[in-house]
Amino acid sequence: MIRVVAIALVARKGSRESCNCGLAKATDTDNHIVLVDPETENPSLADDEPDSQTAEFSPRVRLTRPKLAGAEIQKLITDTPDHALLVRVTGVLMFDSEHSLGRHLKRHNDWEIHPVFGLEYCPDDKRCTASSDVNWVNMENKSQ
């Protein structure tokens, strides 16, 4: 298990992958969140995705934690002035060999936080740090 603080740039629906038995329906695929270093100045998907880390919510985790869905975090990202949301992600760091063996990605590494078990974000008007729980909002406790 690891916990990282990063900037979330986008949350996307996943596609058919071996970790999900090659199934393709939205309910059977992962949600992918593109994360970049929180020290990145003027982060953008176009410039920074190659150096990003991916966090993935698996379908099985979403069954018991429905607020950990890509659409909810994407709305928060979109609502920020620069489309970059400070987040704290808790999950398992895994090497995705499927990408290293042929399904290559835009990013330079094949390590993923997969599955994600917890996601928190920092509201725009607050200050959040990696070493403190102050001001972080847990996605699972967020009101609709």
Side-chain angles (χ1 to χ4, degrees), residues 19-33:
C19 61
N20 295 318
C21 303
L23 300 172
K25 292 191 311 188
T27 56
D28 299 323
T29 59
D30 297 331
N31 293 153
H32 298 199
I33 301 171

Side-chain angles (χ1 to χ4, degrees), residues 31-125:
N31 293 153
H32 298 199
I33 301 171
V34 175
L35 304 173
V36 297
D37 187 321
E39 302 298 318
T40 304
E41 291 187 32
N42 303 312
S44 75
L45 196 57
D47 292 339
D48 299 309
E49 188 170 10
D51 296 317
S52 70
Q53 176 74 50
T54 294
E56 298 187 25
F57 294 105
S58 71
R60 288 156 291 290
V61 169
R62 290 194 324 266
L63 282 175
T64 58
R65 298 172 176 179
K67 289 189 177 182
L68 297 184
E72 294 216 17
I73 190 69
Q74 182 57 49
K75 180 172 179 359
L76 290 170
I77 294 167
T78 302
D79 287 349
T80 64
D82 55 358
H83 301 286
L85 181 68
L86 188 64
V87 296
R88 188 164 69 169
V89 181
T90 303
V92 179
L93 185 63
M94 301 283 286
F95 182 76
D96 190 336
S97 62
E98 181 176 10
H99 300 307
S100 69
L101 296 173
R103 254 186 101 208
H104 301 292
L105 304 169
K106 288 182 183 177
R107 68 176 196 268
H108 302 302
N109 76 75
D110 296 318
W111 288 91
E112 300 173 343
I113 303 169
H114 185 206
V116 168
F117 291 118
L119 178 66
E120 301 157 291
Y121 69 94
C122 189
D124 260 352
D125 59 341

